[in-house]
Amino acid sequence: MSEIALVNSPNVGLDKTQKGGPYVNELSTLNLGPTHPATHGIFQNILTMDGETIVDAEQTVGYIHRAFEKIAERRPFYQITTLTDRMNYCSAPINNMGWHMTVEKLLGIEVPKRAQYMRVIMMELARLTDHIVCNSILAVDTGALTGFLYVYQWREFIYEIYEEMCGARLTTNMGRFGGMERDFTPVAIEKIQKLLKELPAALKEFEGMVMRNRIFMDRTQNVGGISAQRALNYGFTGPNLRAAGVDYDVRAMNPYSSYEDFEFDVPVGTKGDTYDRFLVREEEMWQSLRIIQQAMDNLPEGSYHADAPHYYLPKKQDVYHNMEALIYHFKIVMGEIDAPVGEVYHSVEGGNGELGFHLVSDGGRTPYRLKFRRPGFIYYQAFPEMIKGTTLSDAIVTMSSMNVIAGELDT
């Protein structure tokens, strides 16, 4: 609470301590973050307050900036995958596979149909975990802790599927250039089928607790809204844009990994407020389940990776017993194979919107330049505009519904 400023008032100069005397209007500066439990990350918002009302706001980012783009210029292509994990760590497999598709576009690798379907399944599972986190935490920020405790267990269950597929849970490093690291195991298939069977009931119960709850509706409706035009001007994508009424989804508008084979709807809102953002993400979870079910029902036969020995890591057991596999493994991991000269851009529909990779190669063993399009960094710029005229408690739920991920913000 610093920088107390007086505004023009006829009462200035009067003794406000006198009994019954008039008070001077005051503006105060409030630091919301960077270490605040409701900011869900490490970033600062400097709010100018008139009592409980926000009259101005300025955000500060960069507290965990890790220079991923610069690091990528010194890393072999494979080792960059672990950087993408740590951007939106709530849906790491989407980041991993978006990066792999970008490199595959540069290398001209055609991924088998089975691998494409497997990627779709894992990416939609990641979207489920991302939206479960966002919507359940939004409920917590309005006081509804029960729903969070109930639905969060399914995020942990999806992490068990990740663990079965790649041995990791949060930062997954999932997949390979040219496809997947391994095929679905019987355990992975069993767990996916269990999720498809049991998660719908949990989602319905969560929605029953929250969606028509009077307190939740009062806290979120007509709060933190943004128009479709302003959202487009800022460069919004993903659920935050769709909540404002624009039906743009990379999966539908520019399909990749065989998304054109699947039937799904793109949910849109009307007001672009906190409640609409919640509803859009909630409906997207149902659509993700629908896509996963289609992919499991129609999973193609064949290989789960391309025939690209110069770029696809050989099986570990082959490395121990086969000299050719050992040589390829060493050359790929250590970045001993030059990439072709080229410039490509590829984007996927991440948990927060269009996640893009602009890759420039000069023919070396590392990128000449790599630029991440992080949706969180783009839409967070609108946060001050969205909270002006609201209260401090409104700012909290607005930020929560935007799903600001600090790792994605400060890449």
Side-chain angles (χ1 to χ4, degrees), residues 31-337:
N31 283 298
L32 178 61
T35 53
H36 189 287
T39 58
H40 306 305
I42 305 178
F43 36 87
Q44 180 186 41
N45 296 279
I46 304 172
L47 309 179
T48 302
M49 308 288 298
D50 181 3
E52 275 289 304
T53 303
I54 300 169
V55 297
D56 199 7
E58 179 183 356
Q59 78 272 64
T60 305
V61 299
Y63 286 97
I64 61 168
H65 181 63
R66 291 160 293 184
F68 281 171
E69 294 173 342
K70 200 64 181 176
I71 293 173
E73 296 176 11
R74 299 292 182 269
R75 279 198 175 189
F77 289 87
Y78 251 113
Q79 294 182 23
I80 295 171
T81 306
T82 56
L83 300 181
T84 67
D85 283 342
R86 289 153 176 82
M87 291 194 299
N88 187 345
Y89 34 75
C90 290
S91 49
I94 301 179
N95 304 354
N96 297 160
M97 294 170 190
W99 166 240
H100 292 160
M101 291 177 212
T102 304
V103 177
E104 288 160 3
K105 184 179 288 188
L106 175 70
L107 301 177
I109 295 176
E110 183 65 32
V111 178
K113 203 73 169 176
R114 181 178 182 85
Q116 293 185 33
Y117 273 51
M118 291 175 67
R119 282 179 170 177
V120 166
I121 292 169
M122 300 315 298
M123 286 189 287
E124 292 307 316
L125 288 174
R127 197 177 320 281
L128 283 169
T129 62
D130 201 296
H131 289 354
I132 285 173
V133 171
C134 181
N135 276 5
S136 64
I137 293 294
L138 175 59
V140 171
D141 284 339
T142 62
L145 182 62
T146 303
F148 163 80
L149 294 174
Y150 180 65
V151 79
Y152 210 71
Q153 62 184 310
W154 290 101
R155 182 209 192 204
E156 295 303 306
F157 185 79
I158 293 173
Y159 279 2
E160 293 180 15
I161 301 173
Y162 291 173
E163 198 168 20
E164 181 66 25
M165 289 299 298
C166 68
R169 293 165 60 84
L170 184 69
T171 50
T172 52
N173 192 16
M174 188 178 291
R176 296 287 184 265
F177 298 141
M180 298 294 291
E181 176 195 359
R182 65 191 73 175
D183 205 348
F184 282 140
T185 65
V187 173
I189 292 175
E190 180 184 347
K191 286 182 178 296
I192 293 171
Q193 296 291 6
K194 176 179 171 66
L195 180 85
L196 291 171
K197 181 180 179 181
E198 299 183 16
L199 180 56
L203 281 180
K204 286 181 181 178
E205 189 158 359
F206 175 70
E207 291 171 359
M209 285 187 281
V210 177
M211 189 178 291
R212 302 303 296 173
N213 182 285
R214 186 73 262 166
I215 297 174
F216 182 79
M217 294 171 69
D218 288 344
R219 288 291 309 279
T220 57
Q221 289 182 341
N222 301 313
V223 171
I226 188 169
S227 68
Q229 187 60 54
R230 291 299 293 162
L232 288 170
N233 289 346
Y234 273 110
F236 275 34
T237 54
N240 294 334
L241 176 64
R242 292 190 283 273
V246 181
D247 62 343
Y248 175 74
D249 188 309
V250 180
R251 297 171 296 174
M253 304 304 175
N254 189 22
Y256 53 90
S257 196
S258 294
Y259 266 106
E260 65 275 9
D261 295 351
F262 303 98
E263 293 184 3
F264 63 97
D265 298 321
V266 179
V268 295
T270 54
K271 295 182 178 179
D273 61 5
T274 296
Y275 190 67
D276 273 8
R277 287 189 285 272
F278 171 85
L279 293 181
V280 165
R281 284 188 173 87
E282 201 66 26
E283 179 58 31
E284 284 188 7
M285 286 195 273
W286 290 104
Q287 297 302 319
S288 290
L289 288 171
R290 182 181 174 192
I291 292 170
I292 294 169
Q293 185 68 67
Q294 293 176 65
M296 292 296 293
D297 291 343
N298 302 297
L299 190 63
E301 299 294 332
S303 177
Y304 57 89
H305 64 85
D307 183 17
H310 288 283
Y311 305 105
Y312 182 83
L313 281 170
K315 293 181 179 180
K316 196 65 177 180
Q317 56 266 34
D318 294 342
V319 173
Y320 293 133
H321 306 289
N322 184 294
M323 178 56 69
E324 186 179 51
L326 176 63
I327 292 171
Y328 274 127
H329 184 276
F330 176 83
K331 294 178 73 174
I332 292 171
V333 170
M334 299 307 295
E336 296 294 321
I337 301 175

